[in-house]
Amino acid sequence: MGLDLPTRYDPASVEKRLYRFWEENGYFQADPDPKRKPYTIVIPPPNVTGVLTLGHVLNNTLQDILVRWRRMQGFNALWQPGTDHAGIATQSVVERMLDAEGTSRQALGRERFVERVWQVKEKHNAVINEQLRRLGSSLDWRRERFTMDEGLSRAVLEVFVRLYNKGLVYRDKFMINWCPFHGTALSNDEVEHQTVQGGLWWIRYPFKEGQGGVTVATTRPETMLGDTAVAVNPDDPRYKDVIGRTVILPLMNREIPVIADEYVDKEFGTGALKITPAHDPNDFRIGRKHGLAAPCVIAPDGTMSEEAGAYRGLDRFACRERVVADLRKLGLLEKHEPHEHEVGHCYRCDTLVEPYISLQWFVRMKPLAERARKVAEDKSVRFWPPRWETMYYHWIDTVPDWPISRQLWWGHRIPAWYCQDCPDPKLDPADRPAEPPYGIGGYPVVSATQPEKCPQCGGTRFVQDEDVLDTWFSSWLWPFSTLGWPDETADLKYFYPTDTLVTAPDILGFWVARMIMAGLEFLDDIPFRDVYLHGIVRAEDGRKMSKSLGNSPDPIAVMDEFGADALRFSIVLITASGQDAYYSHDKVAIGRNFANKLWNASRLVLTNLAESPDVADMAYGAGDLALEDRWVLSRLTRTIATASQALEGFNFNEAAMAIYEFVWHELCDWYLEVIKPRVRNAAPEATAPRFAAQGVVTHVLDNAIRLLHPFAPFITEEVWQHLGARMARRGALAGEGADAAASIMVAPWPQADERWLDPAAEATFAQVQEIVRAIRNIRKKMGLADRTPRLRVTLSLADPAAEAGMEACRGLLCDQAALEHLEIGVSLPKPPASAAAVLPGMEAYVALEGVIDLDTERKRLRDQLARAAKFLEGSERKLANVAFLEKAPKEVVEKEYQQNARLREDIQRLEANLAELE
RNA sequence: GGGCGAUUAGCUCAGUCGGUAGAGCGCUACACUCACAUUGUAGAGGUCACUGGUUCGAGUCCAGUAUCGCCCACCA
């Protein structure tokens, strides 16, 4: 066959070579160019904690589709790569490694620990990049950034200082979520609520004077050691006389008051609430309101503190058991029942989160949230699918101040310096040393670099804050810090605001919303116009795929087995817009099979083009084109329109399905089959039809692979390269220039040219398809093979006007239905011993002497009759309905009449054919 | 407790103007000489979760119910 192409598409022999080809030729690169319009996407930076999951595959495939599509449309498309240092996550990974080695971060010390994390980061980062390359991601690698590289660190410090000077960053002693395992503060977003089977204990606090006492119900008995009051609802008649009395806190033997507060729910438990200001957010608020002391009975590591008296040193859970046992011994435990409730856990280590009072840095969110709400309301930022807008508002409207300090080592060190010679007047004197050096109780100076002199006392001794910033404090700057901010770079000017953000909805609040806030605050502009939120990739059991669950197949292994294109295409195909996708291994076969189909279609085309002198010279005047040519060009045009429109609306799977459907079931199943006789006929008089077919098929394949390229970049480039010279000539004719010929990456995205729309050709071809299918069906039903014996068919038309049209399809019909003789005419008689296919406006009689089984034929006709009768019944009902005739649109009624007439006719003809057999 | 999503063929899911329900896989039968068995041809298979409403007409719009899932949330 002249061409040395394997019968199976082999991704392994193609992908690495083509990726190198693209990268070496700079096809991924974008630089500011005032003559061209930019299109920008910043990658949601993967965490450097490990390898990528199939969730990342979906995320990055969608981005690559957008970028490649826009690039083909002529945009100067930039896809900005980079990774995130993922503070707490990465630190835990490395700490676990150290633990396995029998050491710890404390043993290593801060500096050596951080060095170690950098090593791990480098290793993981390399793996991640390799995975992204394998996937075909057209990222501009020259621009790769990392949230802790020098430039981004500068941006982080700049932002901290600016917000501090504006009063939007402050330090306060407040109740925050605390992870005892990591020993750090967490924001709300880093806490996951899980349902826990706990208990509810009823504990009696005896009155100091007199008999009896107050019984409280609690889920956390161990915190009673830190109780400083019992609260009841002021309107609760049961406790009217109790308010103001004193009770004895059991085990601690401390006197505490009974206070009144509306917060207390009369219905829950006993209606009396123990108040532990240091260990419960509500109690904290009530404690502050009533001026209660807040003894901390639980230490940062989750054990009981000195304030817990006899219980000190016990783990908080062991302490719970001890407290319960001791109360029981004292006869103060009145009741215990199981109680299911939601409890916060650390999103990285699953440890039960402890509400904890500590001195932390915060960002005031309200002022930032207001503007961020407005840009969504006025649609400057749009959410896809739009329902996420509501979720966004909910987050924006309820956002509490953001605790940004973390007691970790891996991250951006907080640029706060404490004077050792004078104290911070804002701090409670109890919370800092009484005299110099003041440590972190010293007067704070916020500055990107170490200050020289204390503005309060002129002192020169400083210590820097030990803590680092929350990971998201660098992530929220990502859309502009990656482009060079705070410098006013050309990149920033040209590529910002970016165009599309593609991410999963689970980080809508803590990442997307914050980026919008940051963009507006620091650049006075939105960071991106469209936010596309895709579903989550789940394992077959419905669970989310994640690194921590370890239930994501290795994308590299999947690509080794099926190819990158197959994985990309399949994962897009199974992901309906905004819906979660259930991954399974055999779904990837869809993409692999499709790639193979396209490959073989291309082989067929290439093989048969070999002898074509120059298809590019073929002018496709309508007169030169056969029915099938006009049909396939019309179908192609519709596919281009559908796919383009779907992409505009972020309906990736719809675009993918449209292309799949066209390539497989129209191009391959019909067009390629139909033109085989034409391209193989070497007779001199057959030259023009042959050239026309070759020209059209080249055009169609060319457009098909362009459409498919964003979804399956490798195979389409490989085919493009094989089509090579022809593409160059075609491109030159179309004014596409030499660049386009060099790589499909820069070939223009197809235009839906309405000149090629041909409804008449589509209708006629559909008729041909129906006839062919009907004859094939009869063949099968009569037990005949696909193409042998060749059959004799009589096509009897109802309308003389249709004769010429059908006559023109004679060759098509004979070839596709494997006929040896076809008679076409008006109202032809049915030959004896033939089977009949009743079709709109015609009947096809298949001569079956010696083969026909009358019972089979009767059954076949009766089945059809039954089906038609069912439809007719529905149609009759409609037309008998006066309201329908009066109120339905005219076209619909008209259509119904036609339908009805056709059905009646069909039934009549089926009955006639059937009668003949009786 | 609040919000959101889902419920369509045996399985996994499409179905963005309301007008006789679609795909892939699986299944059945047949076919490896001319691109592809990772294939082709033909076929079977559905009360569109349920109830009510709007409408000439509802898988599609509205209300409610049930089941599953997700997100948010400081009732001890």
Side-chain angles (χ1 to χ4, degrees), chain A residues 144-189:
Chain A
E144 186 187 353
R145 304 305 296 268
F146 177 58
T147 47
M148 272 172 66
D149 68 24
E150 204 194 325
L152 270 67
S153 298
R154 205 152 57 81
V156 165
L157 300 188
E158 171 81 19
V159 159
F160 189 93
V161 173
R162 278 202 201 182
L163 289 177
Y164 179 79
N165 291 338
K166 233 180 144 172
L168 292 179
V169 155
Y170 64 94
R171 190 164 73 140
D172 194 10
K173 200 176 173 192
F174 207 78
M175 177 158 283
I176 40 79
N177 301 297
W178 182 267
C179 173
F181 177 79
H182 287 111
T184 181
L186 300 172
S187 70
N188 281 358
D189 314 306

Short mmCIF file of all heavy atoms in Angstrom, two decimals, chain A residues 144-189:
data_model
loop_
_atom_site.label_atom_id
_atom_site.label_comp_id
_atom_site.label_asym_id
_atom_site.label_seq_id
_atom_site.Cartn_x
_atom_site.Cartn_y
_atom_site.Cartn_z
N GLU A 144 7.52 28.66 34.24
CA GLU A 144 7.12 27.91 35.42
C GLU A 144 7.43 28.68 36.70
O GLU A 144 8.50 29.23 36.88
CB GLU A 144 7.82 26.55 35.46
CG GLU A 144 7.30 25.71 36.60
CD GLU A 144 8.07 24.41 36.80
OE1 GLU A 144 8.95 24.10 35.97
OE2 GLU A 144 7.79 23.73 37.80
N ARG A 145 6.46 28.70 37.61
CA ARG A 145 6.64 29.39 38.88
C ARG A 145 6.30 28.46 40.04
O ARG A 145 5.67 27.42 39.85
CB ARG A 145 5.74 30.64 38.97
CG ARG A 145 5.91 31.63 37.85
CD ARG A 145 7.34 32.11 37.67
NE ARG A 145 7.86 32.86 38.79
CZ ARG A 145 7.80 34.19 38.90
NH1 ARG A 145 7.22 34.92 37.96
NH2 ARG A 145 8.32 34.79 39.95
N PHE A 146 6.74 28.89 41.21
CA PHE A 146 6.48 28.12 42.42
C PHE A 146 6.09 29.12 43.49
O PHE A 146 6.65 30.22 43.56
CB PHE A 146 7.74 27.34 42.81
CG PHE A 146 7.61 26.56 44.10
CD1 PHE A 146 6.62 25.59 44.24
CD2 PHE A 146 8.49 26.77 45.14
CE1 PHE A 146 6.51 24.87 45.42
CE2 PHE A 146 8.38 26.06 46.33
CZ PHE A 146 7.38 25.10 46.46
N THR A 147 5.12 28.77 44.32
CA THR A 147 4.62 29.77 45.27
C THR A 147 5.67 30.25 46.25
O THR A 147 5.48 31.27 46.91
CB THR A 147 3.41 29.23 46.07
OG1 THR A 147 3.72 27.92 46.54
CG2 THR A 147 2.16 29.19 45.21
N MET A 148 6.78 29.50 46.37
CA MET A 148 7.82 29.97 47.29
C MET A 148 9.08 30.42 46.57
O MET A 148 10.12 30.60 47.19
CB MET A 148 8.17 28.89 48.30
CG MET A 148 7.27 28.96 49.54
SD MET A 148 7.48 27.58 50.64
CE MET A 148 9.14 27.82 51.21
N ASP A 149 9.00 30.60 45.24
CA ASP A 149 10.20 31.11 44.58
C ASP A 149 10.37 32.58 44.93
O ASP A 149 9.52 33.19 45.59
CB ASP A 149 10.19 30.82 43.07
CG ASP A 149 9.12 31.61 42.30
OD1 ASP A 149 8.69 32.68 42.79
OD2 ASP A 149 8.72 31.15 41.22
N GLU A 150 11.47 33.13 44.48
CA GLU A 150 11.84 34.45 44.96
C GLU A 150 10.79 35.52 44.63
O GLU A 150 10.37 36.29 45.49
CB GLU A 150 13.19 34.84 44.36
CG GLU A 150 13.91 35.86 45.19
CD GLU A 150 15.06 36.49 44.42
OE1 GLU A 150 15.68 35.75 43.60
OE2 GLU A 150 15.32 37.69 44.61
N GLY A 151 10.35 35.51 43.39
CA GLY A 151 9.40 36.53 42.96
C GLY A 151 8.08 36.44 43.70
O GLY A 151 7.51 37.45 44.15
N LEU A 152 7.58 35.25 43.82
CA LEU A 152 6.28 35.08 44.47
C LEU A 152 6.38 35.38 45.96
O LEU A 152 5.45 35.91 46.57
CB LEU A 152 5.72 33.68 44.21
CG LEU A 152 4.87 33.61 42.95
CD1 LEU A 152 5.70 33.82 41.70
CD2 LEU A 152 4.11 32.29 42.87
N SER A 153 7.54 35.06 46.55
CA SER A 153 7.72 35.37 47.97
C SER A 153 7.70 36.88 48.17
O SER A 153 7.14 37.39 49.16
CB SER A 153 9.05 34.80 48.47
OG SER A 153 9.04 33.40 48.34
N ARG A 154 8.29 37.58 47.23
CA ARG A 154 8.30 39.04 47.31
C ARG A 154 6.86 39.57 47.26
O ARG A 154 6.48 40.47 48.01
CB ARG A 154 9.11 39.59 46.13
CG ARG A 154 9.71 40.95 46.36
CD ARG A 154 10.98 41.12 45.52
NE ARG A 154 10.75 40.93 44.09
CZ ARG A 154 10.25 41.86 43.29
NH1 ARG A 154 9.93 43.05 43.76
NH2 ARG A 154 10.07 41.61 42.01
N ALA A 155 6.06 38.97 46.39
CA ALA A 155 4.66 39.38 46.27
C ALA A 155 3.91 39.14 47.58
O ALA A 155 3.13 39.97 48.03
CB ALA A 155 3.98 38.63 45.12
N VAL A 156 4.20 38.00 48.20
CA VAL A 156 3.52 37.65 49.44
C VAL A 156 3.84 38.67 50.54
O VAL A 156 2.95 39.17 51.23
CB VAL A 156 3.92 36.22 49.88
CG1 VAL A 156 3.54 35.97 51.32
CG2 VAL A 156 3.27 35.19 48.97
N LEU A 157 5.12 38.99 50.69
CA LEU A 157 5.52 39.94 51.73
C LEU A 157 4.93 41.32 51.45
O LEU A 157 4.44 42.00 52.34
CB LEU A 157 7.04 40.03 51.82
CG LEU A 157 7.76 38.72 52.16
CD1 LEU A 157 9.24 38.97 52.42
CD2 LEU A 157 7.13 38.02 53.36
N GLU A 158 4.96 41.70 50.20
CA GLU A 158 4.41 42.99 49.80
C GLU A 158 2.93 43.10 50.19
O GLU A 158 2.47 44.10 50.72
CB GLU A 158 4.57 43.14 48.27
CG GLU A 158 3.86 44.33 47.66
CD GLU A 158 4.66 45.62 47.80
OE1 GLU A 158 5.89 45.52 48.04
OE2 GLU A 158 4.05 46.71 47.69
N VAL A 159 2.22 42.04 49.93
CA VAL A 159 0.79 42.02 50.22
C VAL A 159 0.54 42.09 51.73
O VAL A 159 -0.33 42.83 52.20
CB VAL A 159 0.15 40.75 49.61
CG1 VAL A 159 -1.16 40.41 50.28
CG2 VAL A 159 -0.05 40.93 48.11
N PHE A 160 1.34 41.35 52.47
CA PHE A 160 1.17 41.36 53.91
C PHE A 160 1.39 42.77 54.46
O PHE A 160 0.60 43.28 55.26
CB PHE A 160 2.14 40.37 54.56
CG PHE A 160 1.91 40.15 56.03
CD1 PHE A 160 1.09 39.12 56.47
CD2 PHE A 160 2.51 40.98 56.98
CE1 PHE A 160 0.87 38.92 57.83
CE2 PHE A 160 2.29 40.80 58.33
CZ PHE A 160 1.46 39.76 58.76
N VAL A 161 2.45 43.38 53.99
CA VAL A 161 2.78 44.72 54.48
C VAL A 161 1.70 45.73 54.09
O VAL A 161 1.23 46.53 54.91
CB VAL A 161 4.16 45.17 53.95
CG1 VAL A 161 4.44 46.62 54.31
CG2 VAL A 161 5.26 44.26 54.49
N ARG A 162 1.26 45.66 52.83
CA ARG A 162 0.23 46.59 52.38
C ARG A 162 -1.05 46.45 53.19
O ARG A 162 -1.65 47.44 53.60
CB ARG A 162 -0.12 46.30 50.92
CG ARG A 162 0.84 46.91 49.93
CD ARG A 162 0.13 47.03 48.61
NE ARG A 162 1.10 47.15 47.52
CZ ARG A 162 0.73 47.30 46.26
NH1 ARG A 162 -0.55 47.30 45.93
NH2 ARG A 162 1.64 47.42 45.31
N LEU A 163 -1.47 45.20 53.39
CA LEU A 163 -2.72 44.99 54.13
C LEU A 163 -2.58 45.43 55.58
O LEU A 163 -3.51 45.95 56.18
CB LEU A 163 -3.14 43.52 54.05
CG LEU A 163 -3.65 43.05 52.68
CD1 LEU A 163 -3.97 41.56 52.71
CD2 LEU A 163 -4.87 43.85 52.23
N TYR A 164 -1.39 45.22 56.14
CA TYR A 164 -1.16 45.64 57.52
C TYR A 164 -1.27 47.16 57.63
O TYR A 164 -1.95 47.70 58.51
CB TYR A 164 0.20 45.17 58.00
CG TYR A 164 0.51 45.58 59.43
CD1 TYR A 164 -0.04 44.87 60.49
CD2 TYR A 164 1.32 46.68 59.70
CE1 TYR A 164 0.21 45.24 61.79
CE2 TYR A 164 1.59 47.06 61.01
CZ TYR A 164 1.03 46.34 62.06
OH TYR A 164 1.27 46.71 63.35
N ASN A 165 -0.62 47.82 56.69
CA ASN A 165 -0.65 49.29 56.72
C ASN A 165 -2.06 49.83 56.51
O ASN A 165 -2.40 50.92 56.94
CB ASN A 165 0.29 49.87 55.67
CG ASN A 165 1.74 49.59 56.04
OD1 ASN A 165 2.07 49.36 57.22
ND2 ASN A 165 2.63 49.57 55.05
N LYS A 166 -2.88 49.05 55.82
CA LYS A 166 -4.25 49.46 55.57
C LYS A 166 -5.18 49.07 56.70
O LYS A 166 -6.38 49.34 56.66
CB LYS A 166 -4.73 48.77 54.28
CG LYS A 166 -5.30 49.72 53.26
CD LYS A 166 -5.75 48.95 52.04
CE LYS A 166 -7.01 49.58 51.47
NZ LYS A 166 -7.41 49.00 50.20
N GLY A 167 -4.63 48.37 57.67
CA GLY A 167 -5.45 47.90 58.79
C GLY A 167 -6.24 46.65 58.48
O GLY A 167 -7.16 46.28 59.22
N LEU A 168 -5.92 45.99 57.37
CA LEU A 168 -6.66 44.78 57.02
C LEU A 168 -5.99 43.51 57.51
O LEU A 168 -6.56 42.43 57.45
CB LEU A 168 -6.88 44.71 55.51
CG LEU A 168 -7.83 45.79 54.95
CD1 LEU A 168 -7.97 45.66 53.44
CD2 LEU A 168 -9.19 45.72 55.61
N VAL A 169 -4.75 43.65 57.98
CA VAL A 169 -4.09 42.54 58.65
C VAL A 169 -3.86 42.95 60.08
O VAL A 169 -3.42 44.07 60.35
CB VAL A 169 -2.75 42.18 57.96
CG1 VAL A 169 -1.81 41.50 58.94
CG2 VAL A 169 -2.98 41.26 56.77
N TYR A 170 -4.23 42.08 61.01
CA TYR A 170 -4.05 42.43 62.43
C TYR A 170 -3.71 41.19 63.23
O TYR A 170 -3.91 40.06 62.78
CB TYR A 170 -5.33 43.08 62.98
CG TYR A 170 -6.54 42.16 62.98
CD1 TYR A 170 -6.86 41.41 64.11
CD2 TYR A 170 -7.35 42.04 61.86
CE1 TYR A 170 -7.96 40.56 64.12
CE2 TYR A 170 -8.45 41.20 61.86
CZ TYR A 170 -8.75 40.46 62.99
OH TYR A 170 -9.84 39.62 62.98
N ARG A 171 -3.19 41.43 64.43
CA ARG A 171 -2.87 40.32 65.32
C ARG A 171 -3.82 40.36 66.50
O ARG A 171 -4.11 41.43 67.03
CB ARG A 171 -1.42 40.43 65.80
CG ARG A 171 -0.94 39.19 66.53
CD ARG A 171 0.56 39.16 66.65
NE ARG A 171 1.06 40.14 67.63
CZ ARG A 171 2.06 39.89 68.49
NH1 ARG A 171 2.65 38.72 68.49
NH2 ARG A 171 2.47 40.83 69.31
N ASP A 172 -4.34 39.19 66.87
CA ASP A 172 -5.28 39.17 67.99
C ASP A 172 -5.25 37.81 68.66
O ASP A 172 -4.85 36.81 68.07
CB ASP A 172 -6.69 39.48 67.50
CG ASP A 172 -7.64 39.81 68.66
OD1 ASP A 172 -7.15 39.99 69.79
OD2 ASP A 172 -8.85 39.89 68.40
N LYS A 173 -5.69 37.85 69.92
CA LYS A 173 -5.83 36.59 70.65
C LYS A 173 -7.27 36.15 70.48
O LYS A 173 -8.19 36.84 70.90
CB LYS A 173 -5.51 36.83 72.12
CG LYS A 173 -5.15 35.56 72.84
CD LYS A 173 -4.75 35.85 74.26
CE LYS A 173 -4.56 34.53 74.99
NZ LYS A 173 -4.46 34.75 76.44
N PHE A 174 -7.44 35.05 69.81
CA PHE A 174 -8.79 34.68 69.42
C PHE A 174 -8.91 33.16 69.39
O PHE A 174 -7.91 32.44 69.36
CB PHE A 174 -9.07 35.25 68.03
CG PHE A 174 -10.53 35.51 67.78
CD1 PHE A 174 -11.15 36.63 68.32
CD2 PHE A 174 -11.28 34.62 67.03
CE1 PHE A 174 -12.49 36.86 68.10
CE2 PHE A 174 -12.63 34.85 66.79
CZ PHE A 174 -13.23 35.97 67.33
N MET A 175 -10.15 32.71 69.41
CA MET A 175 -10.34 31.26 69.32
C MET A 175 -10.27 30.82 67.86
O MET A 175 -11.01 31.31 67.01
CB MET A 175 -11.68 30.85 69.92
CG MET A 175 -11.90 29.36 69.76
SD MET A 175 -13.09 28.72 70.92
CE MET A 175 -12.13 28.62 72.40
N ILE A 176 -9.37 29.90 67.62
CA ILE A 176 -9.21 29.38 66.26
C ILE A 176 -9.26 27.85 66.31
O ILE A 176 -9.29 27.25 67.37
CB ILE A 176 -7.90 29.85 65.60
CG1 ILE A 176 -6.75 29.82 66.61
CG2 ILE A 176 -8.02 31.24 65.03
CD1 ILE A 176 -6.16 28.54 66.88
N ASN A 177 -9.29 27.25 65.13
CA ASN A 177 -9.21 25.79 65.06
C ASN A 177 -7.75 25.39 65.21
O ASN A 177 -6.87 25.99 64.59
CB ASN A 177 -9.72 25.29 63.71
CG ASN A 177 -11.15 25.70 63.46
OD1 ASN A 177 -12.04 25.29 64.19
ND2 ASN A 177 -11.36 26.53 62.45
N TRP A 178 -7.52 24.38 66.01
CA TRP A 178 -6.14 23.99 66.28
C TRP A 178 -5.98 22.50 66.00
O TRP A 178 -6.79 21.69 66.47
CB TRP A 178 -5.83 24.29 67.75
CG TRP A 178 -4.43 23.96 68.12
CD1 TRP A 178 -3.98 22.78 68.65
CD2 TRP A 178 -3.29 24.80 67.99
NE1 TRP A 178 -2.63 22.84 68.86
CE2 TRP A 178 -2.17 24.08 68.46
CE3 TRP A 178 -3.09 26.11 67.52
CZ2 TRP A 178 -0.88 24.59 68.48
CZ3 TRP A 178 -1.81 26.63 67.54
CH2 TRP A 178 -0.73 25.88 68.01
N CYS A 179 -4.95 22.17 65.23
CA CYS A 179 -4.68 20.75 65.00
C CYS A 179 -3.59 20.31 65.97
O CYS A 179 -2.44 20.74 65.84
CB CYS A 179 -4.22 20.50 63.57
SG CYS A 179 -3.67 18.78 63.34
N PRO A 180 -3.92 19.49 66.96
CA PRO A 180 -2.93 19.07 67.95
C PRO A 180 -1.81 18.23 67.33
O PRO A 180 -0.69 18.24 67.84
CB PRO A 180 -3.74 18.21 68.94
CG PRO A 180 -5.16 18.58 68.71
CD PRO A 180 -5.26 18.95 67.26
N PHE A 181 -2.10 17.54 66.26
CA PHE A 181 -1.05 16.73 65.63
C PHE A 181 0.00 17.62 64.98
O PHE A 181 1.19 17.48 65.19
CB PHE A 181 -1.65 15.78 64.60
CG PHE A 181 -0.62 14.98 63.86
CD1 PHE A 181 -0.03 13.87 64.44
CD2 PHE A 181 -0.20 15.36 62.58
CE1 PHE A 181 0.94 13.13 63.77
CE2 PHE A 181 0.78 14.64 61.90
CZ PHE A 181 1.34 13.52 62.50
N HIS A 182 -0.46 18.58 64.17
CA HIS A 182 0.48 19.47 63.49
C HIS A 182 0.94 20.61 64.40
O HIS A 182 1.93 21.27 64.10
CB HIS A 182 -0.16 20.08 62.24
CG HIS A 182 -0.31 19.12 61.10
ND1 HIS A 182 -1.53 18.66 60.68
CD2 HIS A 182 0.61 18.52 60.32
CE1 HIS A 182 -1.34 17.81 59.67
NE2 HIS A 182 -0.07 17.71 59.44
N GLY A 183 0.19 20.83 65.47
CA GLY A 183 0.55 21.94 66.35
C GLY A 183 0.41 23.29 65.67
O GLY A 183 1.26 24.17 65.83
N THR A 184 -0.66 23.45 64.89
CA THR A 184 -0.82 24.73 64.22
C THR A 184 -2.28 25.14 64.17
O THR A 184 -3.18 24.32 64.32
CB THR A 184 -0.27 24.68 62.77
OG1 THR A 184 -0.44 25.97 62.18
CG2 THR A 184 -1.03 23.67 61.93
N ALA A 185 -2.47 26.43 63.93
CA ALA A 185 -3.81 26.96 63.71
C ALA A 185 -4.28 26.54 62.32
O ALA A 185 -3.47 26.32 61.42
CB ALA A 185 -3.78 28.48 63.81
N LEU A 186 -5.59 26.44 62.17
CA LEU A 186 -6.18 26.14 60.87
C LEU A 186 -7.30 27.13 60.61
O LEU A 186 -7.94 27.61 61.55
CB LEU A 186 -6.78 24.73 60.85
CG LEU A 186 -5.85 23.54 61.11
CD1 LEU A 186 -6.67 22.26 61.24
CD2 LEU A 186 -4.83 23.40 60.00
N SER A 187 -7.55 27.40 59.33
CA SER A 187 -8.72 28.22 59.02
C SER A 187 -9.93 27.30 58.90
O SER A 187 -9.78 26.08 58.84
CB SER A 187 -8.51 28.98 57.72
OG SER A 187 -8.54 28.09 56.63
N ASN A 188 -11.10 27.88 58.86
CA ASN A 188 -12.32 27.08 58.72
C ASN A 188 -12.26 26.13 57.54
O ASN A 188 -12.78 25.03 57.59
CB ASN A 188 -13.54 28.00 58.52
CG ASN A 188 -13.99 28.59 59.84
OD1 ASN A 188 -13.42 28.29 60.88
ND2 ASN A 188 -15.01 29.42 59.78
N ASP A 189 -11.63 26.62 56.47
CA ASP A 189 -11.60 25.82 55.25
C ASP A 189 -10.74 24.59 55.38
O ASP A 189 -10.82 23.68 54.58
CB ASP A 189 -11.08 26.67 54.09
CG ASP A 189 -11.73 28.02 54.07
OD1 ASP A 189 -12.96 28.05 54.06
OD2 ASP A 189 -11.01 29.03 54.09
#
